[in-house]
């Protein structure tokens, strides 16, 4: 048989064309047909990665305080193992926690965290400290995201100061937290403390806080320490301080004794006492054994007057009424120069603000009230909104009342609502609402109101009027 030259040429041509192809080939068969075959694919040399974040802010921290956080989650989204070698560059204080972080290799379809500690060694506030977490991937395509920017702000806690006040049994503790938070003072005769003040917030962003430490025995050394709870959850303690109280002047110390009924147990706490007759006409606080822990002694003398109705306000201050001693202006008008005012004081005894009867009458006239008050009378009540309800009395003349021929000056009471700037916002006059012909006792001291009570349940007032029985 004679060979077909074109068939042989065709087979050679096919083989020649296939010589440059490595992925598949076609070979001739004796029958003239072709049979496709597949070779082994080339090895994959890269994988893909996703990062949960490319930046992380540790926020505010204190020098030498460590905050541990997972700053990024690495996910191998490819089909081969991922190699990585995390390192940090930048500000000192950032450190990788190797035992809690990704290892040198991450399997396909797996994830792992990178945990970093931020323990600044120097203060930076208000500036920010910065570092870069380089993940150093070894099996990814060029341009793959492989770093995380880390930031944090550090500050140092400076020691507070403790100073004496005008009150011999009250200290002032001042501390300046670098960030926003709340401050409480612990105090006691030893470093176990045992007693605490209330808690006060810092200014926005941090700043000085001054707290009066009161409730200490006279002539005694106390330890005290501030604790700060920051808004971001951090906490810190100040160093221990000591403060030694002194005592009030001997001639101004009231004497108290306390006795417990057999078989009874007194409730723990502090008693606020307000004696209004005798040499101890002031305000004092005692423990359950009768020991004086605090008292109010005015910086300037009180002339012909008595301190009434001390009330502690929401800001820790006390609201007191200082009014003429004795009964009423009907038969015993106060002498010129007699103290007649309402005053807010702090625990050191400093006057925060006050209003005198002269000032209040001037404000009533300016507001076009046809009303003149005589003296402040028995009570003052702080309201939740910061207003004061002051009680004062006034005289009104009546002619030929039944059983009282001629002119009779009748004494009644008035409630005045003062706002936080001591401006008048509301007035309630008993003469406008009660029947002057109803006078069970001691007329013409008609009402003799003794107390104003605010009812938080319904926002109304309870007015205790003694001579209306």
């Amino acid at each position: 048989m004679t060979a077909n030259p074109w068939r042989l040429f065709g087979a050679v041509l096919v083989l020649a064309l296939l010589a440059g192809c490595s992925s598949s080939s076609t070979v001739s068969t004796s029958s003239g047909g072709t049979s496709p075959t597949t070779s082994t694919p080339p090895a994959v040399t890269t994988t893909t990665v996703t990062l949960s974040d490319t930046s992380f802010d540790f926020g505010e921290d204190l020098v030498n305080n460590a905050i541990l956080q997972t700053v990024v989650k690495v996910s191998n989204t490819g089909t081969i193992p991922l190699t990585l070698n995390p390192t940090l560059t930048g500000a000192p204080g950032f450190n990788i926690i190797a035992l809690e972080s990704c290892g040198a290799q991450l399997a396909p379809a797996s994830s792992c965290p990178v945990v970093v500690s931020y323990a600044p060694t120097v203060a930076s506030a208000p500036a920010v400290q910065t570092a870069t977490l380089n993940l150093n991937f070894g099996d990814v395509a060029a341009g793959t995201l492989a770093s995380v920017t880390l930031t944090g702000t550090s500050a140092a806690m400076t020691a507070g100061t403790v100073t004496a006040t005008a009150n011999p049994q009250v200290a002032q503790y001042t501390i300046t937290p670098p960030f926003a938070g709340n401050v409480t003072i612990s105090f006691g005769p030893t470093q176990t403390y045992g007693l605490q003040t209330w808690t006060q917030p810092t200014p926005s962003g941090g700043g000085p806080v001054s707290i009066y430490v009161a409730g200490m025995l006279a002539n005694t050394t106390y330890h005290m320490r501030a604790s700060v709870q920051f808004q971001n959850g951090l906490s810190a303690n100040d160093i221990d301080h000591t403060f030694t109280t002194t005592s009030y002047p001997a001639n101004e110390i009231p004497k108290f004794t306390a006795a417990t009924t057999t078989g009874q147990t007194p409730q723990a706490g502090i008693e606020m006492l307000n004696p209004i007759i005798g040499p101890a006409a002031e305000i004092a606080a005692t423990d359950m054994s009768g020991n004086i822990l605090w008292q109010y002694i005015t910086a300037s003398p009180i002339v012909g007057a008595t301190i009434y109705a001390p009330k502690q306000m929401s800001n820790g201050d006390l609201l007191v009424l200082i009014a003429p001693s004795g009964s009423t202006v009907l038969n015993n008008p106060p002498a010129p120069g007699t103290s007649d005012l309402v005053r807010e004081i702090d625990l050191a005894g400093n006057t925060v603000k006050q209003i005198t009867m002269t000032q209040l009458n001037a404000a009533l006239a300016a507001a076009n009230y046809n009303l003149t008050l005589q003296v402040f009378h028995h009570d003052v009540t702080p309201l939740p909104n910061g207003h004061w309800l002051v009680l004062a009395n006034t005289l009104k003349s009546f002619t030929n009342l039944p059983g009282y021929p001629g002119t009779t000056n009748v004494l009644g009471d008035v409630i005045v609502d003062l706002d936080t700037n001591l401006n008048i916002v509301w007035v309630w006059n008993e003469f406008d609402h009660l029947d002057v012909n109803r006078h069970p006792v001691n007329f013409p001291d008609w009402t003799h109101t003794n107390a104003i009570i605010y009812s938080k349940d319904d926002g109304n007032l309870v007015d205790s009027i003694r001579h209306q029985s």
Side-chain angles (χ1 to χ4, degrees):
M1 180 182 293
T2 303
N4 185 338
W6 292 108
R7 179 174 179 176
L8 178 61
F9 175 78
V12 172
L13 176 63
V14 170
L15 290 172
L17 290 174
L18 292 175
C21 180
S22 62
S23 60
S24 61
S25 62
T26 304
V27 295
S28 62
T29 64
S30 59
S31 61
T34 61
S35 175
T37 62
T38 302
S39 65
T40 302
V44 177
T45 59
T46 62
T47 188
T48 54
V49 180
T50 59
L51 302 180
S52 60
D53 293 287
T54 57
S55 64
F56 186 88
D57 183 19
F58 282 86
E60 299 166 338
D61 195 9
L62 299 173
V63 171
N64 297 323
N65 180 72
I67 298 176
L68 272 66
Q69 295 284 0
T70 296
V71 298
V72 66
K73 182 179 179 182
V74 181
S75 298
N76 182 352
T77 54
T79 59
I80 67 170
L82 168 71
T83 61
L84 64 165
N85 179 29
T87 59
L88 276 169
T89 58
F94 295 93
N95 295 284
I96 297 171
I97 308 301
L99 293 178
E100 300 183 33
S101 299
C102 296
Q105 192 175 75
L106 182 62
S110 298
S111 299
C112 64
V114 179
V115 179
V116 174
S117 166
Y118 177 47
T121 57
V122 295
S124 68
V128 173
Q129 294 179 321
T130 303
T132 300
L133 172 64
N134 301 291
L135 295 165
N136 297 316
F137 298 132
D139 304 296
V140 295
T144 299
L145 290 175
S147 65
V148 179
T149 300
L150 307 179
T151 53
T153 305
S154 66
M157 270 284 293
T158 56
T161 59
V162 178
T163 56
T165 69
N167 191 310
Q169 289 179 221
V170 177
Q172 185 176 49
Y173 197 127
T174 301
I175 191 167
T176 306
F179 309 122
N182 294 291
V183 179
T184 306
I185 313 299
S186 298
F187 65 104
T190 69
Q191 290 190 48
T192 58
Y193 308 110
L195 300 170
Q196 283 190 330
T197 66
W198 65 343
T199 298
Q200 284 294 287
T202 66
S204 176
V209 176
S210 291
I211 295 178
Y212 287 120
V213 182
M216 297 181 285
L217 295 168
N219 302 313
T220 304
T221 297
Y222 282 81
H223 291 263
M224 53 189 67
R225 184 183 68 184
S227 298
V228 184
Q229 184 67 48
F230 294 98
Q231 288 183 356
N232 63 358
L234 295 179
S235 60
N237 291 326
D238 191 17
I239 62 172
D240 179 75
H241 299 266
T242 58
F243 178 80
T244 301
T245 61
T246 54
S247 58
Y248 299 100
N251 62 337
E252 298 187 37
I253 300 177
K255 305 298 182 183
F256 299 107
T257 59
T260 301
T261 303
T262 302
Q264 299 297 311
T265 302
Q267 178 176 310
I270 293 175
E271 295 283 353
M272 179 76 76
L273 305 172
N274 178 213
I276 61 173
I277 297 174
E282 52 194 29
I283 314 168
T286 74
D287 62 17
M288 293 296 103
S289 298
N291 300 307
I292 293 177
L293 301 179
W294 178 88
Q295 70 182 84
Y296 173 51
I297 299 176
T298 60
S300 56
I302 295 176
V303 180
T306 298
I307 302 175
Y308 293 94
K311 310 282 177 62
Q312 190 155 34
M313 305 169 68
S314 60
N315 64 359
D317 292 345
L318 289 168
L319 186 59
V320 300
L321 186 150
I322 301 175
S325 305
S327 56
T328 71
V329 296
L330 278 173
N331 52 22
N332 187 23
T338 299
S339 300
D340 193 11
L341 54 94
V342 178
R343 174 180 292 171
E344 178 182 344
I345 61 171
D346 62 26
L347 288 179
N350 301 308
T351 297
V352 177
K353 62 183 178 182
Q354 67 179 27
I355 186 169
T356 66
M357 180 54 70
T358 299
Q359 292 169 330
L360 182 56
N361 274 322
L364 286 167
N368 297 316
Y369 284 95
N370 184 22
L371 176 65
T372 300
L373 300 176
Q374 303 298 311
V375 297
F376 289 110
H377 189 225
H378 281 325
D379 202 15
V380 57
T381 298
L383 294 179
N385 62 0
H387 289 204
W388 299 354
L389 294 179
V390 298
L391 183 62
N393 55 31
T394 187
L395 287 170
K396 187 172 182 178
S397 295
F398 291 87
T399 302
N400 296 326
L401 288 172
Y404 292 85
T407 300
T408 302
N409 289 324
V410 178
L411 188 67
D413 288 290
V414 177
I415 299 172
V416 181
D417 182 351
L418 302 173
D419 68 14
T420 55
N421 295 314
L422 303 184
N423 297 312
I424 299 169
V425 295
W426 179 76
V427 173
W428 189 81
N429 189 340
E430 290 172 347
F431 283 106
D432 296 335
H433 301 278
L434 304 179
D435 181 6
V436 73
N437 292 299
R438 185 186 187 281
H439 41 77
V441 294
N442 290 358
F443 194 74
D445 184 1
W446 174 46
T447 56
H448 204 101
T449 302
N450 277 343
I452 317 164
I453 301 170
Y454 171 72
S455 171
K456 64 180 181 180
D457 295 327
D458 56 16
N460 292 325
L461 304 177
V462 178
D463 194 17
S464 175
I465 307 176
R466 189 178 82 180
H467 285 184
Q468 287 295 301
S469 193

